Amino acid sequence: MSNVFNVEHILADAHSTSQQQAFQFIAEHAHQLGYIDSVDGFARGLQARESHDSTGFLGGMAVPHCKSAHVKTPAIFVVHFANPIEWDTMDDEPVTTAVSLAIPESGAEESLMMLTKLSRAMMKPDIRNTLQQNDTQAILDTIQHVIA
């Protein structure tokens, strides 16, 4: 699981103030780490998924994801935003933390299972609180435990 989620996948975004900028930030880092082959293609995929149905969650969290031909290998990213991002969420609160999934078109079943496990776990306030903290080891342990 270390190739799906590791310390390099915990990101701090100091500049984004919109969903579009957040998706671009996630795509740029996914590309830098070698998980996708097109920044614009993956960012468009995240936006298209969001347009279909919001990935906003509770307690300042969102789970932006998409299945895309631009994804070479699956990955999970935890992104802390310095600026709250307007998002259509279950509690109408802006998003300060995103748990983003890059899902390849082939082998998507395993990645979608991770998404389901993460979504269920994030219903628990203690999981959301851990993911929103700046405790790298706690975030690593939590994600790896949830997707195991």
Side-chain angles (χ1 to χ4, degrees):
M1 287 298 161
S2 65
N3 60 333
V4 173
F5 185 74
N6 62 54
V7 71
E8 292 180 318
H9 297 193
I10 301 171
L11 309 171
D13 181 347
H15 303 291
S16 293
T17 58
S18 69
Q19 253 184 11
Q20 187 97 7
Q21 290 172 340
F23 294 155
Q24 189 72 21
F25 177 87
I26 293 166
E28 287 170 1
H29 283 80
H31 187 263
Q32 287 172 4
L33 294 169
Y35 288 91
I36 64 171
D37 63 17
S38 170
V39 171
D40 291 337
F42 184 64
R44 279 194 307 273
L46 291 172
Q47 186 63 55
R49 171 61 184 84
E50 196 66 37
S51 297
H52 174 69
D53 194 21
S54 178
T55 60
F57 217 72
L58 298 165
M61 307 238 5
V63 190
H65 61 280
C66 75
K67 183 167 87 168
S68 171
H70 296 292
V71 177
K72 299 190 290 188
T73 51
I76 298 169
F77 302 94
V78 174
V79 185
H80 296 122
F81 300 110
N83 304 300
I85 308 286
E86 286 302 314
W87 215 289
D88 181 15
T89 60
M90 294 177 186
D91 57 5
D92 296 320
E93 293 296 321
V95 168
T96 55
T97 304
V99 179
S100 184
L101 281 83
I103 304 169
E105 285 190 340
S106 60
E109 296 77 28
E110 183 179 329
S111 298
L112 292 172
M113 225 188 303
M114 282 191 290
L115 175 62
T116 300
K117 288 178 180 182
L118 280 168
S119 296
R120 285 186 184 142
M122 287 173 51
M123 292 303 289
K124 300 175 184 171
D126 59 323
I127 298 286
R128 289 195 308 270
N129 291 339
T130 298
L131 295 176
Q132 290 177 309
Q133 301 305 314
N134 286 323
D135 184 338
T136 301
Q137 192 59 53
I139 293 169
L140 279 169
D141 292 346
T142 298
I143 295 286
Q144 290 172 345
H145 174 74
V146 166
I147 64 174

